[in-house]
Amino acid sequence: TRRSGSRNRYARKVVPAELRAILGRTEFKRSLGAVPPADAKRLNAEAVAEFEAEIAAARQKLHGTLRHLTDREISAACGDWYRARLAAHEGTPGGPEGWQLAKETLMDASFASDTDDHAPVSAATFHPTAPALHRAAALWSRRGVAADPDSLHRTAFQLAVADIQFHETMTRRAGGDWGPDDHVGRFAVGATTMPPPSAS
């Protein structure tokens, strides 16, 4: 659609009535910008596919058909998230101090306060905060999956680790180190056919 007097096009999809309470909205809507019709068609298809994935996940919640995800599926999804986020920020990293400070803030928020900055983080010291669990649920929802509580907890932990490692890589890039990324190889690849999440 396009509003009268506006050059911006929008992707829209109505949320089925029975899923509105779960999704907290009556419709999905996303600006596609002032793009040519051919680009708008492609972007609209991508947006609608994401909308439909979230609707599918909400329908699973409605019917109580939550999925238990394997460790490999979680690793692959977190790897997609990591690579997408790195691609979005790596080109112009800025100064290293900001990335290092942000990493320390993440460590304090996600892991036990007595965790050494140089020690490997572990599930035993992970604090599954509400925002962390929401981020994990959103990652799977965009893939059309409603994950069970254990899967969400494990996903939240792996995302927290990936986020810290992302900040470590960005600190290196900001310091002028463009060598191979030691973290990216740890993620599973090709474990799922679901589309990658956006870098958020």
Side-chain angles (χ1 to χ4, degrees), residues 81 85 130-140 142 156 159-160 163 200:
W81 178 91
R85 194 155 188 225
L133 292 171
H134 176 77
R135 179 168 68 166
L139 182 147
W140 288 114
R142 287 193 294 269
L159 276 176
D163 206 0
S200 60

Side-chain angles (χ1 to χ4, degrees), residues 166-177:
F166 162 74
H167 281 76
E168 289 175 352
T169 299
M170 289 303 300
T171 300
R172 289 177 51 217
R173 298 294 186 249
D177 183 347

Side-chain angles (χ1 to χ4, degrees), residues 51-70:
F51 299 161
E52 290 176 344
E54 293 200 43
I55 288 172
R59 201 175 297 282
Q60 290 173 41
K61 289 182 182 178
L62 179 67
H63 296 299
T65 53
L66 303 180
R67 271 198 57 194
H68 185 75
L69 297 156
T70 66

Side-chain angles (χ1 to χ4, degrees), residues 81-82 85 99-100 102-111 115-122 125-126 135 156-172 183 186-187:
W81 178 91
Y82 178 91
R85 194 155 188 225
W99 291 108
Q100 181 61 32
K103 176 200 166 184
E104 292 169 4
T105 301
L106 283 169
M107 290 283 292
D108 291 341
S110 300
F111 294 91
T115 301
D116 189 302
D117 284 347
H118 301 289
V121 295
S122 71
T125 59
F126 176 61
R135 179 168 68 166
F157 167 66
Q158 290 296 339
L159 276 176
V161 173
D163 206 0
I164 289 167
Q165 292 176 334
F166 162 74
H167 281 76
E168 289 175 352
T169 299
M170 289 303 300
T171 300
R172 289 177 51 217
H183 297 307
R186 79 172 183 87
F187 298 103

Side-chain angles (χ1 to χ4, degrees), residues 5 10 13 19 21-23 30 41 49 65 67-68 88 129 134 137 160 178 180 184 189 191 194 196:
Y10 293 85
K13 187 172 182 66
L19 302 177
I22 294 174
L23 289 168
R30 179 185 301 173
K41 185 176 181 179
T65 53
R67 271 198 57 194
H68 185 75
T129 63
H134 176 77
W178 298 94
V184 72
V189 177
M194 292 179 287

